[in-house]
């Protein structure tokens, strides 16, 4: 098993292992999509709380997984197709297979993790900017925050040199909202700079962190009181830490990137990556680094 980690203390890399290794950021990409969305809202180019065109839900609902949309990752056919190494389905086929037009609850009246919601966030960013998601995320988030290693992987060849564990040959288009890859220190630095207000005004950072509390603790995961903000997982861990960031996982690897909310006097972010499907283990690694 390959493990990489990084700790950011007061804006500097305090500790790291395999700092130059490129890894998939999996669902930490959602934090970047949320940040890009809030930049567009900040600049008056999008609305967070008006219903999207022809839809009953808002961007806030999508960012917080409160839209009522289904989750394609639970589809057995999806799991089997990925395992076989099939070509990714066209988006209309994905939405049809997931019965995406049927909401599971009224927007704002429930919570359910939805990668389809973040696919729609990606599409909204592309529509507003007139750019591909990769171009838009670079311009809106990565370049302003000085994150040099990160890029959106679109084709299997974009994963050359990326640590994918047993998932060699994986097609990144199976991650319909987009799969960012980069180094572990850059993932930690991105979260540090974002939470420190280097991209968004303090009010928008607070909006990202405003929690929708979820039932807890989470069985088999190190979460005592979990919650979800706008593109960030947050809440209290079983270690008693209050954190915000995101965990991500896919075939062959997992990543966890978290800010210690209790350490405002000495801001600390930890990111961990491992070629294992065990998200709990990777989260425990990151939370342990935050305690040191």
């Amino acid at each position: 098993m390959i493990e990489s980690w990084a700790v950011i203390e007061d804006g500097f890399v305090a500790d790291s292992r395999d700092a130059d290794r490129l890894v998939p950021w999996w669902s930490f990409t959602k934090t970047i999509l949320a940040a890009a969305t809030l930049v567009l809202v900040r600049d008056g180019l999008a609305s967070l709380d008006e219903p999207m065109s022809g839809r009953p839900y808002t961007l806030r609902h999508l960012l917080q997984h409160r839209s009522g949309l289904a989750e394609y990752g639970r589809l057995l056919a999806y799991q089997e197709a990925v395992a076989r190494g099939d070509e990714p389905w066209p988006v209309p086929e994905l939405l049809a297979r997931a019965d995406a037009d049927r909401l599971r609850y009224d927007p704002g009246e429930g919570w359910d993790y939805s990668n389809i919601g973040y696919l729609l966030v990606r599409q909204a960013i592309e529509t507003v900017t007139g750019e591909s998601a990769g171009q838009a995320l670079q311009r809106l988030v990565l370049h302003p925050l000085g994150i040099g290693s990160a890029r959106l992987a679109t084709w299997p060849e974009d994963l050359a040199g990326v640590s994918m564990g047993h998932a060699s040959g994986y097609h990144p288009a199976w991650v319909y909202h987009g799969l960012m890859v980069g180094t572990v220190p850059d993932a930690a630095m991105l979260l540090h700079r974002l939470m420190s207000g280097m991209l968004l005004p303090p009010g928008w950072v607070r909006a990202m962190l405003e929690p929708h509390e979820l039932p807890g603790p989470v069985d088999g995961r190190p979460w005592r009181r979990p919650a979800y903000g706008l593109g960030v997982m947050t809440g209290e861990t079983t270690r008693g830490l209050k954190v915000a960031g995101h965990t991500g996982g896919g075939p062959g690897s997992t990543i966890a990137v978290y800010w210690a909310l209790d350490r405002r006097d000495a801001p600390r972010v930890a990111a961990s990556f491992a070629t294992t499907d065990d998200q709990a283990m990777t989260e425990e690694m990151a939370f342990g680094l935050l305690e040191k």
Side-chain angles (χ1 to χ4, degrees), residues 92-232:
E93 180 179 350
L94 168 79
L95 297 178
R97 285 175 177 265
D99 192 14
D101 288 335
R102 180 177 68 84
L103 297 185
R104 276 51 178 177
Y105 53 83
D106 290 335
E109 297 301 314
W111 188 93
D112 195 14
Y113 196 88
S114 175
N115 278 298
I116 290 177
Y118 271 80
L119 164 62
L120 299 187
V121 170
R122 171 185 180 158
Q123 292 177 334
I125 292 170
E126 292 175 327
T127 298
V128 170
T129 63
E131 300 170 308
S132 69
Q135 291 170 326
L137 296 180
Q138 288 286 344
R139 181 176 62 84
L140 296 173
V141 180
L142 301 173
H143 286 167
L145 292 181
I147 305 302
S149 72
R151 52 184 169 78
L152 202 67
T154 304
W155 303 99
E157 50 265 35
D158 295 331
L159 297 178
V162 178
S163 293
M164 298 297 295
H166 63 71
S168 59
Y170 181 78
H171 200 308
W174 279 118
V175 185
Y176 283 88
H177 60 65
L179 175 58
M180 194 70 64
V181 301
T183 66
V184 174
D186 265 1
M189 190 63 76
L190 187 153
L191 185 63
H192 167 77
R193 291 174 178 171
L194 178 61
M195 293 291 103
S196 297
M198 295 179 65
L199 181 69
L200 296 164
W204 288 112
V205 176
R206 288 194 296 272
M208 290 189 76
L209 295 174
E210 186 174 345
H212 175 72
E213 294 192 3
L214 307 175
V218 180
D219 187 35
R221 299 276 291 276
W223 290 93
R224 179 176 297 151
R225 296 179 60 189
Y228 204 93
L230 301 181
V232 291

Side-chain angles (χ1 to χ4, degrees), residues 35-46 124-125 128-129 139-140:
T37 301
L38 292 178
V39 169
L40 295 177
V41 173
R42 178 200 69 190
D43 295 345
L45 299 174
I125 292 170
V128 170
T129 63
R139 181 176 62 84
L140 296 173

Side-chain angles (χ1 to χ4, degrees), residues 211 223-228 233-237 240-244 261:
W223 290 93
R224 179 176 297 151
R225 296 179 60 189
Y228 204 93
M233 298 167 63
T234 186
E236 183 180 343
T237 75
L241 296 169
K242 293 181 179 179
V243 300
L261 293 172

Side-chain angles (χ1 to χ4, degrees), residues 267-280:
R268 188 178 182 94
V269 175
S272 58
F273 169 84
T275 51
T276 174
D277 296 330
D278 187 347
Q279 294 189 31

